[in-house]
Amino acid sequence: MKEFFKSSLLWGAWSGVVLRFLVLSLHLRVCEILPGDHGIALAGEVAGSVVIYAATSAAIGLAGRLFARTWLSTGFDRALLATLQAIGFFILWFGLWSDRITIGGSRQGPLVLAALALLVIVLFAVGRALRAASPTAARGLLVAIPVVAFGASINAHFHQPLDLKKTAPEMEESGSAQSERQPPNILLLMVDTLRRDYVDFKGNSGSTPNLAKLAESSIVYDDAISVAPWTGPSVASMFTSRYPSEHGLTSRSVRLPEQEITVAEILSAHGYRTVGVVSNSVLGRDFGFNQGFDFYMDARQAFPFGLFLEITSRFWKPHFETTSPFPIKLFFHRVSRSYSLADRTTMNAAALMEQLDRDGRPFFFFLHYMDPHRPFCAPERFMVGDDVDRGLVDGFEYMEYDSTRNGMAIGGTLLGDNDYRRFHELYSGEVRHVDHWIGTLLQRIEDAGLFDNTLILFVADHGEYFGEHNLAAHSHLYEECIGVPLLIRPPAGLQSRRHVRGAVQTMQILPTILAAAGFPGTDTLTTLKPLPTTGAAPDQPLFAEAEDGREQYMRMVRLGKWKLIRSSSGEELYDLDGDSSELVNLRAEAGITGETGTKRDGTAGEALRDLRELLDTFQVSMEKAEKHTISITPEQEEALRALGYMK
């Protein structure tokens, strides 16, 4: 038994080292890996390989006894099994990483694993037969495999992170059809789950100093709203300038249809190099957001920790998350393939952007940070406030309204003032954390000399609830969730910060980008106008929509200070000038009843009728909209569950 454990530890560790270098031979060509992540990844591969090797060798030994054979009696046999195990798991990793195979939640999983096991058995038998025929050749082959893996990894280390070659000949031709002036580079910088009221563009509180510095030479929009309260439809609408009911990504079980024309596709067709780096798996290639990009790095591709930690993190979340101590949660948050943290995202983006600058053509870069999204795990140096016990805070994503006790609860325990305060402190820490890394990125851009010819748009996809309206996370159409920060820094910047008053919508980002790039005929792509750059935004109706139960929608319209929400539970009318927190539903207060309404409060009554007409017209147009709904796979559904979007 002692010999068995010694052999398993030695050859399992060898298998893990070979697997790690095989993975690096490809991974280092794609993304930057932080030094600390190398150690974590190697430890994960070694630990996983030791466990698998011990189980495999025990099974082979038991089978050998049954058939009166000694299949693992020599060092060559053990080395052969360890090497083949590394190759088998490398094939599995590559299949998952490149979206060629699916394991979790699908029938394909057992078949893939069985096929790999059979392949290892066959190659093991072939290797032993080769050794019997030519021991020297067999040993040479066994040595060659790890040597090639190590050499390929070293070679990959000295290569650029990616090869930005166009994928179609017409893209090369389009580069010569640019206008006489050099179009600007375009950086669309997005932060997930970032509330407008947590971003201080004026720099008064010091909570987001790097964004405040950027705002000093930018146009700041005081009242920007998202078209949807969660990531998928919100970003899809920014990319297409179409409402969720039009582009079809309306629920958590569908992906962005290929028929939709995205901003990246338009810019690519006009000679732009297009690159995306995203930190949320919901924006990954699986969900169709890579359309039109020459290179697109999602959370899975940027995952640096290898196969075993990925599998472990996916298994841990649904089974142990609610009972694990916070340090364990923090570790698995870092090694989760569903997220990519700000430090890793920044390093990847900076390396790619500097390479794009050497290319000489204008580029469109979509960069997405995930960190303010739950769970809240910012480094301690970004935390401010009392060091109170975390208490129930770790279970934020399980917070829900307890109607029997009229309060928010986690696991049946009502939340107190201290819990709410800690929620805000932890969230603020994440905001400061991402602001720090945005500052690092902007400094890299400035050092590379890119500021003077880069249009920067900063925006959030949606906000977050912390118990307001008896809600948690992001789901409804109140301002805490659809109100987002938005600024635009023109190339070379402005002399001073300029504020635009009035409501604007993130769907206007696409026409704004196209106008800045100088493309003619944008009116044929969207009826929306570019974002205004001075004064006040035009007083026009703005709409948003969200899921409201199965195959039902809640919809919202804003016009001036008035806002109407229509859902399965009825209508809500708010005067945002006098009630910015949306606490007093004037639909009930004004005493207006019936289909057309009876005016008892002239101002509210008239507003309700006007907004009803607008919302009726919008609802009819959305119901008539052409949709190209495409369902997601079980693997993609698992990614949504990991982020808390599905139960």
Side-chain angles (χ1 to χ4, degrees):
M1 184 61 69
K2 183 178 179 181
E3 182 63 27
F4 169 78
F5 283 115
K6 181 179 178 181
S7 174
S8 297
L9 183 61
L10 173 64
W11 292 110
W14 170 252
S15 180
V17 171
V18 173
L19 173 60
R20 186 63 199 156
F21 277 91
L22 285 170
V23 169
L24 287 176
S25 68
L26 289 179
H27 217 162
L28 285 173
R29 292 178 179 270
V30 178
C31 64
E32 300 279 315
I33 301 179
L34 298 174
D37 291 347
H38 279 293
I40 296 174
L42 180 60
E45 301 290 38
V46 168
S49 295
V50 166
V51 172
I52 297 297
Y53 183 88
T56 303
S57 59
I60 291 175
L62 180 60
R65 290 186 180 182
L66 293 176
F67 292 98
R69 301 291 181 90
T70 53
W71 285 325
L72 285 176
S73 58
T74 66
F76 175 86
D77 290 345
R78 299 186 186 102
L80 177 63
L81 176 62
T83 304
L84 291 176
Q85 175 181 296
I87 293 173
F89 281 118
F90 172 71
I91 294 172
L92 178 61
W93 170 83
F94 180 76
L96 292 170
W97 179 75
S98 60
D99 297 327
R100 285 175 168 82
I101 60 175
T102 297
I103 295 294
S106 72
R107 296 180 181 179
Q108 190 184 49
L111 294 177
V112 169
L113 295 176
L116 283 175
L118 181 61
L119 176 65
V120 170
I121 292 172
V122 170
L123 291 177
F124 182 73
V126 170
R128 296 184 86 250
L130 178 63
R131 178 174 178 269
S134 176
T136 302
R139 284 193 292 270
L141 180 62
L142 194 60
V143 172
I145 292 173
V147 168
V148 169
F150 301 153
S153 297
I154 294 172
N155 179 61
H157 178 73
F158 293 101
H159 275 72
Q160 294 177 333
L162 79 164
D163 185 11
L164 276 173
K165 292 181 179 178
K166 287 289 184 178
T167 56
E170 62 268 23
M171 300 299 183
E172 295 288 353
E173 296 171 3
S174 66
S176 61
Q178 298 175 17
S179 59
E180 293 182 2
R181 71 176 181 85
Q182 176 73 12
N185 301 317
I186 300 167
L187 170 61
L188 177 55
L189 180 57
M190 183 183 299
V191 177
D192 206 296
T193 321
L194 181 59
R195 283 172 55 144
R196 184 200 301 151
D197 55 348
Y198 276 75
V199 177
D200 180 14
F201 284 135
K202 296 181 179 179
N204 296 329
S205 67
S207 59
T208 52
N210 293 294
L211 288 174
K213 182 180 178 181
L214 179 65
E216 289 175 359
S217 56
S218 302
I219 304 164
V220 175
Y221 296 87
D222 295 334
D223 189 8
I225 62 172
S226 172
V227 72
W230 71 282
T231 302
S234 173
V235 177
S237 292
M238 289 189 218
F239 276 14
T240 64
S241 205
R242 281 157 60 83
Y243 289 101
S245 290
E246 293 176 313
H247 58 60
L249 205 166
T250 55
S251 74
R252 292 163 171 81
S253 60
V254 298
R255 65 196 302 272
L256 181 64
E258 293 182 4
Q259 295 92 327
E260 292 298 315
I261 300 174
T262 67
V263 61
E265 290 175 300
I266 298 169
L267 292 171
S268 183
H270 283 78
Y272 270 75
R273 312 311 292 270
T274 52
V275 174
V277 175
V278 299
S279 306
N280 185 342
S281 59
V282 170
L283 294 179
R285 307 164 70 90
D286 292 359
F287 293 88
F289 285 94
N290 62 317
Q291 293 175 206
F293 285 95
D294 300 330
F295 181 80
Y296 199 78
M297 181 187 296
D298 59 20
R300 174 185 292 182
Q301 278 200 315
F303 182 81
F305 299 110
L307 178 69
F308 292 109
L309 277 177
E310 176 179 337
I311 292 174
T312 304
S313 68
R314 290 164 64 180
F315 177 76
W316 163 83
K317 185 175 180 68
H319 294 88
F320 302 109
E321 182 182 32
T322 57
T323 57
S324 297
F326 179 71
I328 303 297
K329 292 184 180 182
L330 181 61
F331 174 78
F332 279 107
H333 176 49
R334 179 163 188 82
V335 302
S336 168
R337 70 173 185 132
S338 300
Y339 308 85
S340 184
L341 301 187
D343 51 357
R344 195 183 312 147
T345 300
T346 300
M347 299 301 292
N348 286 327
L352 295 173
M353 205 171 297
E354 289 164 3
Q355 185 179 338
L356 282 165
D357 180 47
R358 292 193 292 270
D359 179 79
R361 299 192 207 174
F363 62 78
F364 168 63
F365 202 110
F366 172 50
L367 177 58
H368 169 273
Y369 286 98
M370 180 67 170
D371 300 76
H373 194 286
R374 63 186 188 275
F376 305 136
C377 302
E380 285 298 322
R381 69 181 186 275
F382 297 105
M383 302 307 301
V384 176
D386 298 334
D387 187 19
V388 298
D389 180 28
R390 297 181 67 91
L392 297 170
V393 171
D394 290 340
F396 169 75
E397 60 191 284
Y398 305 103
M399 180 166 65
E400 58 185 1
Y401 179 65
D402 187 337
S403 59
T404 61
R405 292 183 288 177
N406 192 30
M408 303 300 291
I410 294 177
T413 302
L414 284 177
L415 298 177
D417 292 340
N418 194 52
D419 295 309
Y420 285 114
R421 180 165 58 87
R422 192 57 171 157
F423 280 141
H424 288 282
E425 288 178 354
L426 291 171
Y427 180 78
S428 297
E430 289 286 17
V431 174
R432 284 186 288 270
H433 178 214
V434 77
D435 176 82
H436 166 80
W437 283 105
I438 288 174
T440 300
L441 175 78
L442 295 175
Q443 187 61 55
R444 290 279 293 267
I445 294 174
E446 187 172 1
D447 293 344
L450 294 172
F451 246 22
D452 288 344
N453 192 37
T454 299
L455 173 73
I456 300 176
L457 300 96
F458 173 81
V459 69
D461 55 352
H462 57 79
E464 188 81 324
Y465 297 112
F466 294 103
E468 300 93 345
H469 313 286
N470 294 322
L471 294 170
H474 32 275
S475 59
H476 208 285
L477 298 176
Y478 296 114
E479 294 298 300
E480 290 88 353
C481 196
I482 63 170
V484 295
L486 173 64
L487 69 72
I488 297 178
R489 184 189 185 275
L494 301 177
Q495 292 297 317
S496 61
R497 184 178 63 244
R498 182 188 303 162
H499 287 264
V500 172
R501 304 178 304 279
V504 297
Q505 200 159 37
T506 55
M507 278 177 59
Q508 296 173 262
I509 284 177
L510 183 147
T512 302
I513 288 175
L514 299 186
F519 298 162
T522 57
D523 289 347
T524 63
L525 298 170
T526 175
T527 58
L528 293 177
K529 300 297 182 184
L531 290 163
T533 57
T534 59
D539 195 7
Q540 58 185 346
L542 300 177
F543 301 93
E545 56 181 353
E547 294 176 291
D548 184 22
R550 191 171 184 177
E551 298 182 356
Q552 296 185 57
Y553 297 95
M554 66 178 71
R555 292 190 167 96
M556 177 225 76
V557 59
R558 275 189 57 178
L559 181 60
K561 68 175 184 176
W562 295 102
K563 175 176 178 178
L564 177 65
I565 301 174
R566 180 182 293 165
S567 66
S568 59
S569 58
E571 291 181 329
E572 300 172 55
L573 177 67
Y574 297 104
D575 174 359
L576 296 180
D577 281 356
D579 179 23
S580 60
S581 298
E582 299 166 280
L583 300 177
V584 181
N585 179 4
L586 296 177
R587 167 65 178 82
E589 292 292 321
I592 305 172
T593 59
E595 289 298 320
T596 59
T598 300
K599 184 170 63 175
R600 294 190 184 177
D601 179 310
T603 305
E606 291 173 5
L608 179 61
R609 277 192 296 275
D610 291 343
L611 294 179
R612 273 179 169 175
E613 290 179 7
L614 290 169
L615 204 52
D616 288 342
T617 302
F618 176 73
Q619 186 164 328
V620 170
S621 64
M622 292 301 101
E623 290 172 353
K624 292 180 178 179
E626 182 180 3
K627 301 178 186 178
H628 313 284
T629 302
I630 301 176
S631 298
I632 60 172
T633 66
E635 182 93 349
Q636 295 157 4
E637 185 176 315
E638 181 183 340
L640 288 170
R641 283 200 176 90
L643 294 166
Y645 286 123
M646 299 182 76
K647 299 298 183 182

